[in-house]
């Protein structure tokens, strides 16, 4: 495999609204991020992906952009952004922006002009489509519920929105739109950013016939992703996007890609792929249900492990994926992937280890490095997320009680990951001097950065050691490029694999079960590279005794 500058990076995702508030308005901001760069450097981070910071009405928390060239005033100014870039550079940290180009905000100038003149040039920037006998053009359900079609006032046309009605889809078939977007991407790259995380990108190719599909729910509609799965030809757009922008700058790109056709893997992220990498969501979609959050299953250890292993093995030598435990759209990994008995600091370290030493680029989501957890709310109004409101309603419509619907949100709401970062044990977890836009998780008194910095055995200090091991000059080649070899595949407690490059082999062994286990390797153990125990129960020749929640990395 040809080596690329980003292969050995450790990335960190910042959700800016909830990271650090510097001016007491309750909203995280750019100055807040700048103030924490040393913290991130110390953790071992080389690259920061920041969720959208562009001007936005925040209907979908910034994923609805009304001006791609402006910083949201909630977050600061362009001067502050430039300062962030400069300060990050000083610390050899790359800034990766979020690129939301499937749709913009209904408040974007283009859409406003389109509404003003529905027969004019700007209507062609969107999908304005004639209705069928007084009905919308097709029976698609949007991601956030309800039809994907909204009436264009004063006409018999509808406009398409895969997400909220305030997020009209951009018409990629129109060369003018593509040109506008490519210019904008290059404008940011010219500033010196490292690249982009590319939002919801699979949706940009539409079937312009907008055919109806067999309804898949009681609302008589069919999920809009069905159309995305059926249509061909996205490659033309993505190839052009890459050629006209990223390729010229050797930029790093990571795609948020769901519903890709399997055979397109290399086209997307192979050596000459459209993107540098994409997130491996295989382990995350396992538990989801088409009926909604209320119907999600508990994580099944064997299936979860198998999903990770099969991605790892399949991608070996072909592509480089990006691995996550959680992000701003997912519940907290510590609450989701750990069995009840392991929801403690030892368990959190174990989960972090098995994930971060996989082949691929690790993306750590803010707060993951201290073991932040899901957050229970008493009332649906304590949430501030369009998707959570929708899923709550879906649960009620399915006949669940309010308590049950809230419980589904507790398990799955995107706001679980969006509560303010827990910096210390003081008021509002040290996130703000004012009133936080979203209430903090009450467990900040037990889980926070300041306390963990003082405790050598904390999750945070363990994460630092873990990242240091990944980057250790002696082991880097193994953890970045080494082969992935699954071990104990069928075992119901043990999560184990080896990473091997040349003569060097590291083995990761973790016990997710409740019983002590003895693990036997086929070679003699040379050295313990990392352990989450003060004192290991036992290690002898080629055997390791693993207590519940114990993880160890050894060389053989
Ligand atoms: C992506 C984002 C999510 C957003 C959606 C629409 O999935 O991660 O937060 O709601 O796209 O832009
Ligand atoms: Ca602020």
């Amino acid at each position: 495999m040809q080596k690329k500058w980003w292969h050995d990076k450790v990335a960190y995702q910042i959700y800016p609204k909830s990271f650090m508030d510097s001016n007491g308005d309750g909203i995280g901001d750019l100055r807040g991020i700048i103030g924490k760069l040393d913290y991130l450097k110390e953790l071992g981070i080389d690259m920061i992906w920041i969720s959208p910071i562009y001007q936005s009405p925040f209907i979908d928390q910034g994923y609805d952009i009304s001006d791609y060239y402006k910083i949201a005033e909630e977050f600061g100014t362009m001067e502050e952004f430039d300062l962030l870039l400069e300060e990050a550079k000083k610390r050899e940290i790359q800034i990766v922006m979020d690129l939301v180009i499937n749709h913009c905000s209904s408040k974007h100038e283009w859409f406003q002009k389109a509404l003003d003149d529905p027969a004019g040039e700007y209507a062609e920037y969107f999908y304005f489509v004639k209705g069928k006998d007084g009905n919308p053009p097709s029976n698609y359900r949007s991601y956030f519920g309800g039809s994907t079609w909204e009436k264009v006032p004063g006409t018999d046309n509808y406009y398409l929105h895969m997400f909220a009605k305030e997020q009209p889809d951009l018409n990629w078939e129109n060369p003018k739109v593509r040109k506008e977007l490519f210019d904008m991407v290059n404008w940011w790259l010219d500033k010196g950013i490292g690249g982009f995380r590319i939002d919801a990108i699979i949706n940009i190719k539409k079937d312009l016939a907008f055919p109806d599909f067999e309804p898949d729910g009681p609302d008589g509609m069919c999920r809009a992703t069905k159309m995305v799965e059926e249509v061909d030809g996205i490659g033309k757009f993505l190839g052009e996007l890459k050629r006209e922008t990223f390729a010229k700058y050797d930029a790093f790109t990571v795609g948020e890609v769901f519903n890709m056709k399997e055979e397109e893997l290399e086209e997307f992220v192979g050596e000459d792929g459209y993107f540098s990498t994409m997130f491996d969501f295989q382990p995350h979609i396992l538990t989801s249900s088409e009926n909604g959050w209320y119907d999600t299953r508990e994580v099944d250890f064997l299936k979860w492990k198998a999903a990770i292993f099969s991605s790892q093995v399949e991608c070996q030598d072909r592509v480089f994926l990006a691995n996550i435990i959680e992000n701003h759209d997912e519940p907290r990994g510590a609450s989701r992937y750990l069995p009840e008995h392991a929801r403690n600091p030892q368990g959190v370290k174990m989960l972090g280890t098995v994930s971060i030493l996989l082949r691929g680029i690790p993306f750590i989501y803010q707060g993951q490095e201290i073991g932040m957890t899901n957050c229970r709310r008493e009332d649906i109004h304590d949430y501030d997320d369009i998707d959570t409101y929708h899923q709550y309603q879906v649960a009620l419509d399915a006949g669940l009680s309010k308590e049950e619907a809230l419980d589904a949100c507790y398990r799955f709401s995107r706001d679980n990951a969006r509560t303010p970062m827990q910096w210390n044990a003081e008021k509002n977890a040290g996130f703000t001097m004012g009133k936080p836009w979203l209430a903090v998780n009450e467990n900040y008194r037990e889980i926070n950065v300041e306390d963990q910095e003082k405790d050598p055995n904390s999750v945070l200090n363990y994460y630092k050691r873990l990242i240091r091991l990944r980057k250790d000059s002696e082991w880097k080649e193994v953890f970045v490029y080494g082969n992935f070899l699954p071990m104990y595949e069928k075992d119901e407690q043990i999560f184990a694999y080896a990473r091997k490059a040349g003569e060097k082999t590291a083995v990761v062994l973790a016990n997710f079960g409740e019983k002590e286990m003895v693990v036997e390797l086929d070679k003699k153990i040379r050295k313990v590279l990392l352990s989450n125990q003060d004192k290991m129960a036992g290690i002898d020749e080629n055997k390791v005794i693993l207590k519940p929640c114990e993880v160890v990395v050894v060389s053989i």
Side-chain angles (χ1 to χ4, degrees):
M1 241 192 144
Q2 205 192 329
K3 294 194 173 174
K4 300 276 170 67
W5 67 262
W6 39 263
H7 279 156
D8 62 353
K9 300 288 179 259
V10 174
Y12 188 91
Q13 181 190 353
I14 288 183
Y15 193 71
K17 211 170 172 182
S18 303
F19 190 60
M20 181 66 204
D21 174 24
S22 72
N23 63 353
D25 67 354
I27 297 175
D29 45 49
L30 293 176
R31 290 229 173 251
I33 299 176
I34 294 171
K36 295 297 181 187
L37 285 174
D38 284 332
Y39 167 77
L40 295 174
K41 182 70 193 170
E42 165 88 17
L43 179 59
I45 301 305
D46 314 291
M47 190 148 78
I48 303 172
W49 151 32
I50 312 179
S51 278
I53 49 176
Y54 313 88
Q55 187 185 83
S56 165
F58 288 89
I59 295 292
D60 184 20
Q61 300 299 1
Y63 283 90
D64 46 324
I65 297 171
S66 55
D67 191 334
Y68 289 97
Y69 292 91
K70 289 215 174 92
I71 298 290
E73 58 182 15
E74 290 84 347
F75 294 145
T77 63
M78 193 58 80
E79 288 67 41
E80 285 167 327
F81 177 78
D82 292 339
L83 183 64
L84 167 63
L85 210 54
E86 198 183 307
E87 290 297 319
K89 281 241 157 86
K90 277 188 201 158
R91 294 165 177 83
E92 294 175 306
I93 294 177
Q94 298 277 351
I95 299 291
V96 169
M97 292 284 277
D98 212 310
L99 188 60
V100 190
I101 46 178
N102 171 68
H103 47 269
C104 60
S105 159
S106 54
K107 292 281 185 284
H108 193 288
E109 183 189 5
W110 300 333
F111 194 71
Q112 290 295 314
K113 285 184 178 166
L115 289 185
D116 285 349
D117 181 9
E121 168 186 14
Y122 283 94
E124 299 289 314
Y125 275 47
F126 300 92
Y127 296 101
F128 279 27
V129 179
K130 219 178 208 64
K132 268 195 236 144
D133 321 317
N135 291 315
S138 68
N139 67 343
Y140 307 154
R141 182 188 315 109
S142 69
Y143 283 96
F144 297 150
S147 171
T148 55
W149 297 103
E150 187 73 15
K151 208 71 199 263
V152 178
T155 72
D156 38 2
N157 281 344
Y158 292 75
Y159 69 86
L160 180 73
H161 59 91
M162 299 289 281
F163 294 88
K165 66 178 189 320
E166 295 86 354
Q167 294 168 298
D169 280 50
L170 286 162
N171 180 1
W172 272 72
E173 306 288 340
N174 182 346
K176 279 193 206 154
V177 170
R178 300 204 296 277
K179 171 91 172 49
E180 297 256 26
L181 295 176
F182 300 164
D183 286 350
M184 177 273 291
V185 169
N186 289 334
W187 186 85
W188 282 98
L189 288 169
D190 279 332
K191 269 185 174 291
I193 63 169
F196 292 98
R197 173 267 185 183
I198 303 167
D199 186 71
I201 194 67
I202 203 78
N203 298 288
I204 63 172
K205 180 69 192 177
K206 272 81 178 178
D207 181 341
L208 299 179
F210 298 113
D212 275 332
F213 291 110
E214 196 66 37
D216 63 7
D219 55 8
M221 291 193 255
C222 174
R223 64 194 167 87
T225 41
K226 177 85 177 148
M227 181 254 294
V228 170
E229 288 163 11
E230 299 283 315
V231 71
D232 286 320
I234 192 172
K236 204 180 131 264
F237 292 154
L238 295 180
E240 189 181 340
L241 169 63
K242 183 190 173 185
R243 267 195 319 279
E244 296 297 324
T245 62
F246 316 138
K248 298 182 183 173
Y249 297 79
D250 195 20
F252 167 78
T253 52
V254 49
E256 186 206 26
V257 182
F258 288 101
N259 310 85
M260 186 195 66
K261 300 181 179 67
E262 245 175 72
E263 65 276 12
E264 288 178 337
L265 182 68
E266 267 161 278
E267 251 170 78
F268 271 66
V269 288
E271 204 109 66
D272 293 312
Y274 308 131
F275 309 126
S276 315
T277 182
M278 62 186 207
F279 293 111
D280 181 9
F281 289 122
Q282 291 311 317
H284 305 271
I285 56 178
L286 272 183
T287 52
S288 47
S289 156
E290 283 188 359
N291 296 330
W293 292 348
Y294 74 88
D295 193 37
T296 50
R297 292 168 292 272
E298 286 293 311
V299 171
D300 174 309
F301 177 72
L302 274 177
K303 288 189 188 144
W304 173 63
K305 184 168 72 163
I308 296 174
F309 282 12
S310 83
S311 282
Q312 288 279 304
V313 170
E314 243 174 74
C315 293
Q316 197 113 274
D317 306 322
R318 294 170 64 208
V319 306
F320 226 80
L321 293 188
N323 301 308
I324 61 160
I325 291 175
E326 62 207 35
N327 66 23
H328 68 293
D329 292 330
E330 305 260 341
R332 290 287 183 177
S335 304
R336 184 178 185 187
Y337 297 109
L338 289 170
E340 195 87 37
H341 74 93
R343 295 185 189 157
N344 54 50
Q346 291 305 80
V348 171
K349 293 174 196 170
M350 171 174 74
L351 178 64
T353 312
V354 299
S355 167
I356 293 206
L357 297 181
L358 291 172
R359 187 175 173 283
I361 303 166
F363 272 74
I364 296 166
Y365 177 73
Q366 68 182 45
Q368 177 188 322
E369 76 278 22
I370 56 170
M372 281 178 64
T373 66
N374 282 0
C375 180
R376 200 179 275 286
R377 305 291 194 198
E378 299 307 326
D379 193 291
I380 186 63
H381 297 110
D382 295 335
Y383 289 98
D384 189 352
D385 169 34
I386 186 170
D387 204 13
T388 304
Y389 297 149
H390 159 234
Q391 290 286 347
Y392 178 75
Q393 194 54 49
V394 168
L396 293 181
D397 292 347
L400 274 73
S401 69
K402 279 189 176 170
E403 287 67 33
E404 290 165 329
L406 277 173
D407 197 57
C409 297
Y410 171 53
R411 282 180 288 114
F412 249 84
S413 171
R414 311 199 291 181
D415 275 355
N416 283 306
R418 297 176 181 187
T419 59
M421 180 71 184
Q422 295 166 201
W423 294 106
N424 59 40
E426 281 151 44
K427 197 167 173 237
N428 293 321
F431 161 72
T432 180
M433 304 292 280
K435 186 176 182 297
W437 73 277
L438 186 68
V440 293
N441 188 329
E442 282 305 317
N443 66 13
Y444 69 87
R445 292 178 194 87
E446 295 83 54
I447 301 176
N448 66 70
V449 170
E450 195 174 287
D451 288 351
Q452 293 200 16
E453 277 178 335
K454 291 182 207 142
D455 172 7
N457 286 325
S458 66
V459 173
L460 178 61
N461 278 314
Y462 180 85
Y463 257 81
K464 288 184 197 169
R465 292 196 288 277
L466 173 59
I467 295 171
R468 230 181 287 140
L469 170 63
R470 213 192 129 93
K471 295 179 159 191
D472 183 287
S473 55
E474 209 182 312
W475 289 98
K476 194 170 169 164
E477 188 71 18
V478 171
F479 288 121
V480 176
Y481 293 107
N483 269 340
F484 174 91
L485 306 163
M487 292 167 66
Y488 283 83
E489 277 178 89
K490 297 277 172 295
D491 194 284
E492 290 177 10
Q493 291 200 181
I494 298 297
F495 194 121
Y497 59 86
R499 300 293 312 277
K500 185 174 184 335
E503 292 303 297
K504 283 186 187 160
T505 305
V507 181
V508 180
L509 301 166
N511 182 1
F512 279 71
E514 284 185 272
K515 288 196 316 268
E516 185 168 292
M517 295 284 285
V518 179
V519 182
E520 245 185 86
L521 306 177
D522 55 9
K523 281 210 187 104
K524 199 173 156 226
I525 293 161
R526 293 194 193 182
K527 203 173 154 197
V528 175
L529 304 175
L530 186 70
S531 154
N532 69 344
Q533 305 293 308
D534 278 343
K535 221 168 140 252
M536 289 180 59
I539 188 159
D540 172 38
E541 289 282 312
N542 64 338
K543 283 203 195 89
V544 184
I545 303 173
L546 289 176
K547 283 184 285 203
C549 294
E550 178 162 358
V551 65
V552 61
V553 185
V554 296
S555 67
I556 55 170

